[in-house]
Amino acid sequence: MSDDDFLRVEAHDCPMSSCAAPAGSPCRTGKGKVAIGYHTARFRLVPSLAKALKLPTPALRRPGAVWTELPRPTAAVTDSGAHVRIGYARASTVRQSLDTQLDSLRGAGIGRIFSEKISTRALVRPELDKAVALAREIRASGAAITLVVHEHKRLGRGIELAALAEQLKAADIGLEFLTGELQGSHDPSGVVFTVLAALSGMEREYIRDRTLEGHESARGRGKSIGGVSVVDETMLAMALHLRASNHSLRDIAERLVITTGKKRGQHPSPATVMRLLRDHDQSMGGDAEHAHAVAELAAVLDRLPADTRPGLPTVERYDDLLPSRRRSRESVPEREQQAAQELSVRRLVRQVIEPGEVFEVGDLLARLARLGLAMTPDKVSGILDYWAARSQLTLIRPGVYRRPLEPDDAA
């Protein structure tokens, strides 16, 4: 840079609306002081300074002093061929890189580049708005301005791109693409903007149609779309058992354990438990299923020996625990109900399984059948998994358990 660069800059009015310093005067700050440097939009009106990053205000203009308007130059320096180019780069997600676009813009000689990582679906793109605002100010000063983009897809798609095209045409801002089908410089008065919007809108619809076709094809081959399910029949049986004991969704989720997939050993979320129970209730028919469960429980309780179920809630009280019929149970506290149920199930296992014995679900079902108790494998598995989770049984492998020795058993 030479010492008289500031004179060529001051030959132009500052295009910044917050400054608007007339020709012959330095740029000013919002507080009415002489700026320490000329605004970028102003000094880049000079072709030789188009790639400069900054231009400080010389000492003779007294940077920091109170700004006063100076006489306009008698012979203003004119640069009729002034042409400013600013760049814009965009990536849809934070994981995508802008390096390719930035290298391409810098290789094309673009010094001022606006970049951001944001989807084209966003209603507001701050960096693009800044680029367009700066381009308008430069164009208002009389210099030609071109917005340079790596590829037309970086500007937007469909209706958004059509709206942007209208803005650029209204401001008489040119557009240049470095790569792609529309590579080259385009006059804002031409039809390229309309064609651009149509192509981008068609491309988005094409991508969506291909995605939907792929999903349908995968479903036809028996593949599931989305994340891998973490629930199974055992988890459902356990969740139903805990819900019947009036546990909250958060408590149920903390007691369940995922047994397959990448999340093996973790607890499902309360939202997953809620969907699991909701889908089950909808598939079983609501209140009709509750009535059937109450009747089935009553039949099982009638066959149990009296000494194996002390304090077990009555059928009417169990009916209160169902989701659609919860009422206040002031006569029996909730903790006493839960303790009584747990004690009854434990005594039932102790009655048919010897201490230290390794058994399978089928063995337990057969022994219960000999006692006249008809229970489904899912319910038995749910009870056993519940006690295994509480260290009352040892899980050898899926479906195989061992009853540990207890102090009262050893005695």
Side-chain angles (χ1 to χ4, degrees):
M1 297 183 185
S2 60
D3 295 338
D4 59 349
D5 282 340
F6 77 96
L7 294 176
R8 289 195 291 272
V9 173
E10 291 183 358
H12 303 275
D13 296 337
C14 183
M16 295 291 292
S17 58
S18 59
C19 175
S25 299
C27 290
R28 54 184 166 183
T29 66
K31 295 183 178 181
K33 305 288 186 179
V34 177
I36 62 174
Y38 293 93
H39 291 117
T40 304
R42 187 179 188 183
F43 69 72
R44 287 195 174 176
L45 296 175
V46 180
S48 60
L49 301 176
K51 296 183 180 181
L53 298 179
K54 61 180 180 178
L55 182 66
T57 303
L60 63 90
R61 297 300 191 207
R62 301 174 59 197
V66 177
W67 183 89
T68 56
E69 183 177 354
L70 300 178
R72 287 179 173 270
T74 56
V77 182
T78 60
D79 292 293
S80 57
H83 185 193
V84 182
R85 301 164 75 211
I86 58 176
Y88 175 73
R90 182 194 63 83
S92 298
T93 64
V94 294
R95 291 182 294 181
Q96 295 177 344
S97 175
L98 291 170
D99 293 344
T100 301
Q101 299 180 53
L102 296 178
D103 292 343
S104 177
L105 292 171
R106 294 190 184 103
I110 309 300
R112 183 70 172 94
I113 301 176
F114 296 85
S115 63
E116 59 187 340
K117 294 185 177 182
I118 190 171
S119 172
T120 55
R121 294 186 179 92
L123 298 178
V124 177
R125 286 183 276 170
E127 294 301 316
L128 178 60
D129 294 342
K130 293 178 182 178
V132 174
L134 177 59
R136 282 180 179 150
E137 292 184 353
I138 295 176
R139 187 68 189 96
S141 68
I145 178 68
T146 299
L147 180 63
V148 185
V149 187
H150 178 70
E151 191 178 9
H152 72 272
K153 300 175 184 177
R154 301 301 96 202
L155 279 181
R157 304 175 188 270
I159 298 177
E160 301 89 349
L161 187 55
L164 177 60
E166 291 298 326
Q167 295 181 28
L168 297 179
K169 289 173 64 176
D172 196 28
I173 300 173
L175 192 60
E176 180 181 353
F177 301 118
L178 301 180
T179 60
E181 300 86 350
L182 300 176
Q183 180 179 0
S185 300
H186 302 279
D187 186 349
S189 62
V191 298
V192 66
F193 291 94
T194 304
V195 175
L196 190 59
L199 289 177
S200 297
M202 291 172 60
E203 182 181 10
R204 171 168 286 178
E205 292 299 324
Y206 180 58
I207 293 174
R208 178 178 178 273
D209 291 342
R210 282 188 300 176
T211 302
L212 294 178
E213 290 175 1
H215 288 176
E216 292 298 330
S217 177
R219 292 191 183 98
R221 295 194 300 271
K223 296 183 179 180
S224 60
I225 304 300
V228 179
S229 176
V230 298
V231 300
D232 50 28
E233 294 298 328
T234 302
M235 184 179 293
L236 173 60
M238 188 64 193
L240 292 173
H241 174 74
L242 294 173
R243 185 178 70 174
S245 301
N246 204 30
H247 287 280
S248 66
L249 287 175
R250 188 176 298 277
D251 291 338
I252 295 176
E254 292 177 351
R255 293 168 182 258
L256 299 179
V257 178
I258 300 173
T259 58
T260 58
K262 295 182 179 180
K263 296 184 179 181
R264 182 176 182 179
Q266 302 180 20
H267 300 290
S269 66
T272 299
V273 176
M274 181 185 68
R275 289 192 298 268
L276 175 66
L277 296 175
R278 181 191 59 196
D279 295 343
H280 173 267
D281 292 342
Q282 292 176 352
S283 64
M284 300 306 293
D287 289 342
E289 171 61 17
H290 296 328
H292 176 72
V294 172
E296 186 178 0
L297 178 62
V300 172
L301 293 178
D302 290 340
R303 296 176 184 175
L304 283 175
D307 59 346
T308 64
R309 49 188 175 97
L312 191 68
T314 63
V315 174
E316 291 77 11
R317 196 164 293 147
Y318 177 81
D319 182 64
D320 290 343
L321 297 176
L322 297 176
S324 61
R325 304 176 184 179
R326 289 177 180 165
R327 298 188 297 269
S328 61
R329 297 175 296 279
E330 299 178 355
S331 57
V332 181
E334 180 180 346
R335 292 186 178 179
E336 294 182 5
Q337 278 191 344
Q338 182 178 350
Q341 290 176 352
E342 294 176 354
L343 180 61
S344 299
V345 176
R346 183 177 179 183
R347 288 191 177 185
L348 179 62
V349 175
R350 291 179 60 184
Q351 182 177 353
V352 297
I353 301 298
E354 298 294 332
E357 180 181 356
V358 177
F359 64 94
E360 297 181 359
V361 175
D363 297 336
L364 182 57
L365 286 172
R367 299 182 191 185
L368 294 176
R370 286 196 292 269
L371 293 177
L373 301 177
M375 299 183 68
T376 63
D378 290 341
K379 290 186 177 180
V380 172
S381 297
I383 294 174
L384 296 178
D385 288 339
Y386 175 68
W387 285 109
R390 302 191 63 178
S391 302
Q392 299 297 330
L393 291 176
T394 302
L395 178 62
I396 304 300
R397 59 180 181 274
V400 181
Y401 304 84
R402 181 177 65 224
R403 177 187 168 188
L405 294 173
E406 301 178 0
D408 50 353
D409 293 328

